[in-house]
């Protein structure tokens, strides 16, 4: 299992794709590889900042041909500052997705009611996720992508909004993502499992299933509202989320 984590870690660090796994893993084994990958990042001095949900929208499930919800981990080494720049040479074949992020005010794990999930969130923000499969052609099975930490590569979070009304009303916000002012995706936060808050419930359940908890202070990326779009060099990527504001980052290619 660790050998697999080392291969995926090296692929990420060298920004070079590897072949799909020859031996199929079961989901529990795939999450073990993900945990080993995180240990390698922590060993390099990175800190865990949160988790992300994946395949929460029909658009994403159709784009990637997979059916189940997945979750991955985020570290400070993946954070891109709002208004900052990221170098495309550090990724294999990066794509970007429009998302919503929550910040947890309470530690959660296992089954939560909708009310408990809402209560565990202390702020909400617009977010962009940069995903980058370490597999050739961005192709994978469900367990392959889980082992690859669900393609996690980068994320940008906007200003946190702690207004209880904002947290309560994330279920139908208009979202527009643009490259250099040209709209590339638009949709609604309703595409994220009907309501992005559902991702808090699902993340707590999935963490509980593998004996983990999501600590207070964690960031939770709720999942993409639309299909992902390949990043292009020298672009300004912006996301505008109704009521929550806009965020952006620039791409360069060294
Ligand atoms: C897996 C990551 C999916 C999302 O928001 O649905 C994801 C992938 O598509 O490579 O982050
Ligand atoms: Mg995502």
């Amino acid at each position: 299992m660790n050998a697999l984590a080392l291969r995926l870690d090296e692929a990420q660090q060298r920004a070079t794709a590897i072949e799909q796994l020859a031996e199929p893993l079961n989901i529990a084994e795939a999450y073990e590889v993900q945990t080993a990958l995180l240990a390698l990042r922590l060993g390099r001095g990175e800190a865990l900042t949160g988790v992300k949900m994946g395949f929460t929208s029909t658009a994403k499930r159709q784009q990637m041909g997979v059916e189940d919800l997945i979750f991955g981990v985020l570290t400070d080494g993946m954070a891109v500052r709002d208004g900052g720049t990221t170098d495309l040479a550090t990724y294999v074949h990066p794509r970007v997705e429009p998302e919503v992020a929550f910040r947890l005010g309470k530690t959660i794990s296992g089954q939560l009611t909708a009310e408990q999930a809402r209560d565990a969130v202390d702020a909400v923000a617009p977010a962009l996720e940069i995903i980058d499969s370490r597999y050739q052609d961005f192709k994978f099975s469900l367990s392959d992508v889980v082992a690859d930490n669900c393609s996690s590569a980068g994320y940008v979070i906007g200003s946190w909004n702690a207004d209880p009304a904002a947290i309560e009303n994330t279920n139908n916000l208009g979202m527009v993502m643009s490259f250099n002012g040209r709209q590339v995706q638009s949709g609604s936060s309703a595409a994220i499992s009907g309501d992005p808050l559902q991702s808090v419930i699902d993340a707590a359940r999935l963490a509980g299933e593998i004996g983990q908890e999501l600590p207070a202070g964690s960031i939770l990326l709720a999942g993409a509202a639309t299909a992902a779009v390949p990043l292009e060099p020298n672009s300004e990527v912006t996301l505008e989320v109704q009521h929550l504001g806009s965020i952006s980052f620039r791409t360069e290619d060294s």
Side-chain angles (χ1 to χ4, degrees), residues 64-106:
M64 305 315 298
V66 287
E67 278 309 322
D68 266 322
L69 293 180
I70 54 174
F71 95 126
V73 288
L74 305 173
T75 69
D76 58 357
M78 301 175 192
V80 176
R81 201 172 41 81
D82 182 14
T85 300
T86 197
D87 183 356
L88 298 188
T90 63
Y91 305 91
V92 185
H93 36 209
R95 299 177 178 181
V96 64
E97 307 178 321
E99 305 214 5
V100 165
F102 295 110
R103 191 176 64 199
L104 299 181
K106 292 188 175 156

Side-chain angles (χ1 to χ4, degrees), residues 14-231:
R14 293 191 179 167
T16 310
I18 59 169
E19 274 178 37
Q20 283 67 21
L21 306 182
E23 300 278 318
L25 300 172
N26 66 38
I27 289 293
E29 289 167 337
Y31 278 106
E32 280 172 32
V33 176
Q34 191 186 110
T35 302
L37 266 177
L38 173 64
L40 290 168
R41 282 185 176 267
L42 300 183
R44 287 195 289 270
E46 293 181 35
L48 183 64
T49 51
V51 296
K52 55 94 67 67
M53 287 299 300
F55 304 141
T56 52
S57 65
T58 312
K60 278 289 306 185
R61 289 192 291 269
Q62 280 176 352
Q63 181 181 33
M64 305 315 298
V66 287
E67 278 309 322
D68 266 322
L69 293 180
I70 54 174
F71 95 126
V73 288
L74 305 173
T75 69
D76 58 357
M78 301 175 192
V80 176
R81 201 172 41 81
D82 182 14
T85 300
T86 197
D87 183 356
L88 298 188
T90 63
Y91 305 91
V92 185
H93 36 209
R95 299 177 178 181
V96 64
E97 307 178 321
E99 305 214 5
V100 165
F102 295 110
R103 191 176 64 199
L104 299 181
K106 292 188 175 156
T107 299
I108 52 172
S109 181
Q111 296 291 341
L112 300 185
T113 63
E115 205 178 318
Q116 286 169 325
R118 208 175 308 116
D119 196 48
V121 169
D122 78 1
V124 59
L128 284 161
E129 183 180 29
I130 301 169
I131 54 168
D132 189 29
S133 177
R134 267 58 66 162
Y135 301 112
Q136 280 171 8
D137 307 320
F138 227 112
K139 287 215 173 79
F140 40 70
S141 68
L142 189 72
S143 57
D144 288 359
V145 68
V146 168
D148 186 25
N149 192 21
C150 304
S151 310
S152 302
Y155 65 87
V156 185
I157 311 268
S159 306
W160 290 110
N161 186 330
D163 179 359
I167 296 169
E168 186 101 19
N169 294 302
T170 54
N171 62 315
N172 189 15
L173 305 174
M175 300 172 70
V176 178
M177 186 166 77
S178 308
F179 288 2
N180 293 328
R182 168 176 53 94
Q183 185 174 315
V184 291
Q185 283 289 0
S186 69
S188 160
S189 61
I192 306 168
S193 294
D195 181 344
L197 267 171
Q198 180 63 35
S199 288
V200 177
I201 298 175
D202 292 324
R205 178 175 48 78
L206 291 176
E209 282 172 11
I210 58 168
Q212 291 176 14
E213 50 183 30
L214 309 179
S218 300
I219 293 166
L220 194 152
L221 288 185
T226 69
V229 182
L231 280 171

